[in-house]
Structure formats: structure tokens, C-alpha cells
Amino acid sequence: MSAPRTAGLPGPAPSVEAIRLQLRSWPEVEQSLQHCRGVIVPLGSTEQHGPTGAIGTDALTAEAVALEVGRRTGVLVTPAQAFGMAEHHLGFAGTVSLQPSTLLAVLHDVVLSLAGHGFERIFVINGHGGNIATARAAFAQAYGTAAARGLPGAAALRCRLANWFTAASVTQEARRLYADREGHHATPSEIALTLHLEPSLVAKQRPLPEAAPAGPIHGPEDFRRRHPDGRMGSDPFLAQPEHGERFLELAATALAADLTAFLSETDPAQAGT
Ligand code: NI
């Protein structure tokens, strides 16, 4: 009888480079799988963020939070999936969207690739609300495929969606700083994080007129009609780079704790055997 098996937790990495999958060789990945079967996948979107926000906001923020969580925990971070489900933003120049079925297929294949190597805990750090439903559907489909293919780790495979912008500490800080001017899209909290990450974006900041309030989301034409400048109830001019640094700290702390708990869950299929 052995102790219940967990997915392992390496501990803080010596540098951010050490946890970037893109910079590892395959023997290094094979070696790291001996100690940790967890992996972080940043998931963003490439979509309009109002008249002053960066198109890459959701991808930049998800990747930055993911790399910081990886640095703190020592868990490998894959390249960011920078295209997400942003169909309703296609009425604005620069938006690049995957249809829900396409994103589902992409995430399904990412999970299956990782699971095939022995990764058993897939921690998706997400920066875009529009990805949530599709990501959950992809996980459900991936579990079925892993079992149908008879992957050795199928029974132990777990996927988790962690939205950095809904962490309790993040939403509390956003409310404290911006109250109801946080809004629902092109929010000052996410814009603040981009200003911290990419100082060149600060020059784009300017006062904006009152944003249209949040409402139901239908197709791209309807979205543009209801939200002519792309914002939903937000005032991104309130964003400051220092706020962004704070949001990164809060999000990384919350998600590192969430990931640690996720990796510490024992595998019922192995426990007590
Ligand atoms: Ni966003």
C-alpha cells in the first residue's frame, strides 16, 4: 500500500524562462514529468477593447498571469492560445475570432496532446469571458476522447478553468478602485494590467464619453449598434500602470493557490492501492 498519488508541485522556479515550455527540450519535459504532471495553458482572445485599449488585452493579461503563476509554482507554461471566441466583436477592426466549434476543437486537441505525454492536470488560465462556455465543453469532450483512446492517464485527467479576472481579490480591488465604472468590457482593471505590461500603451489613454451600459450580447452588428465604441459600461481612463501591477500580484497569488490545491488533489483511481 502506497501513499495516495498527487500530480506533484515543484516549488518556485529559478527564473520565468525555466517554466516556459517553448524554451525546454523534449528530454527536459520528460524529466519534469517525473516530478510534476501539471501544466498551465494561457488562453486569451484577440479582440477590440474600446477606442483606446489594445486588441491583445485578453491574451497579454492571461499570459502574464500564467507566467507569474508558473514562476511561483515551478509548473510549466505552454505558449498562449491568443485567439479565442470573439464572434460578437467582429464588427470592430482588428478582432480575430475562432468560432465556438473551432475553439472547442483547438482546446480539445491541446488537452489530448498534453495528456498523451502524461500530463494529468491541465490548468487553463483564461483572460476572456467569451471563452468560458466553450472551454468547459472542450474539457468534457477531451475526457471522453482520452477514455475512448485508452490513454494510460485518462482516469486521472483533470482540466480546470481559472479566470484571472474573476478571482475574488481581483474583483474586490477593481470595485474599490473603480466602483461601477469597472463595467463589463474594456474594463479599467484589465487595461491597467496591460499598461503595466506594455508601457507604450499608456500614451493611448484619454478621457472617453460615458459608455453604453452592459446588455445582452447577440451578433457582431447588434453588439456594435448597442456599444458603438466597443465598451460595455467601463471607464478605462481610470486605469493606471500601478493598479495593473497590483492586479497581477493579486491574480497570481489567487491562481497559484488554486493551482496548488488542484495539484494536491489525490487521484481516487490510485489512492490506497
Ligand atoms: Ni478583455
Side-chain angles (χ1 to χ4, degrees):
M1 180 160 173
S2 60
R5 193 166 68 100
T6 70
L9 189 67
S15 66
V16 75
E17 288 78 13
I19 47 82
R20 287 182 59 195
L21 182 73
Q22 282 171 304
L23 303 181
R24 304 271 64 78
S25 65
W26 72 260
E28 288 175 320
V29 176
E30 207 169 68
Q31 174 73 21
S32 93
L33 272 163
Q34 303 297 315
H35 310 288
C36 177
R37 284 175 295 278
V39 63
I40 299 169
V41 179
L43 173 61
S45 182
T46 300
E47 67 184 44
Q48 69 85 13
H49 272 75
T52 57
I55 298 283
T57 294
D58 295 349
L60 291 167
T61 56
E63 183 169 51
V65 173
L67 289 172
E68 182 59 19
V69 171
R71 194 186 63 78
R72 293 181 184 199
T73 58
V75 176
L76 287 174
V77 181
T78 72
Q81 170 57 32
F83 299 123
M85 204 298 283
E87 298 288 285
H88 49 294
H89 295 294
L90 280 172
F92 298 87
T95 297
V96 179
S97 175
L98 302 182
Q99 297 171 69
S101 56
T102 312
L103 179 61
L104 194 159
V106 168
L107 292 175
H108 169 272
D109 290 1
V110 168
V111 169
L112 265 290
S113 298
L114 294 166
H117 302 310
F119 288 103
E120 295 175 350
R121 295 290 184 278
I122 317 293
F123 193 71
V124 177
I125 293 188
N126 178 39
H128 174 48
N131 290 335
I132 294 173
T134 304
R136 292 201 172 124
F139 295 166
Q141 190 153 333
Y143 293 140
T145 308
R149 290 184 187 172
L151 290 188
L157 179 63
R158 303 283 182 274
C159 303
R160 187 149 165 150
L161 188 67
N163 306 304
W164 75 263
F165 53 94
T166 59
S169 56
V170 169
T171 58
Q172 284 162 14
E173 182 70 357
R175 179 159 295 277
R176 187 183 75 77
L177 287 169
Y178 314 126
D180 62 355
R181 303 186 76 75
E182 166 75 351
H184 292 84
H185 181 65
T187 62
S189 58
E190 62 179 339
I191 299 300
L193 183 40
T194 67
L195 301 182
H196 168 61
L197 299 171
E198 296 286 343
S200 70
L201 296 174
V202 174
K204 291 190 206 297
Q205 288 284 90
R206 59 179 165 84
L208 296 169
E210 194 72 15
I217 295 176
H218 300 111
E221 293 81 16
D222 180 62
F223 187 100
R224 179 132 192 183
R225 186 176 56 76
R226 291 170 188 267
H227 309 286
D229 78 357
R231 292 175 298 148
M232 296 175 77
S234 66
D235 186 358
F237 187 58
L238 298 174
Q240 302 284 334
E242 306 75 41
H243 300 167
E245 186 175 15
R246 176 89 180 126
F247 283 120
L248 180 58
E249 166 66 29
L250 291 171
T253 299
L255 269 53
D258 191 24
L259 174 59
T260 300
F262 185 45
L263 295 180
S264 303
E265 286 170 11
T266 54
D267 174 4
Q270 301 281 333
T273 60

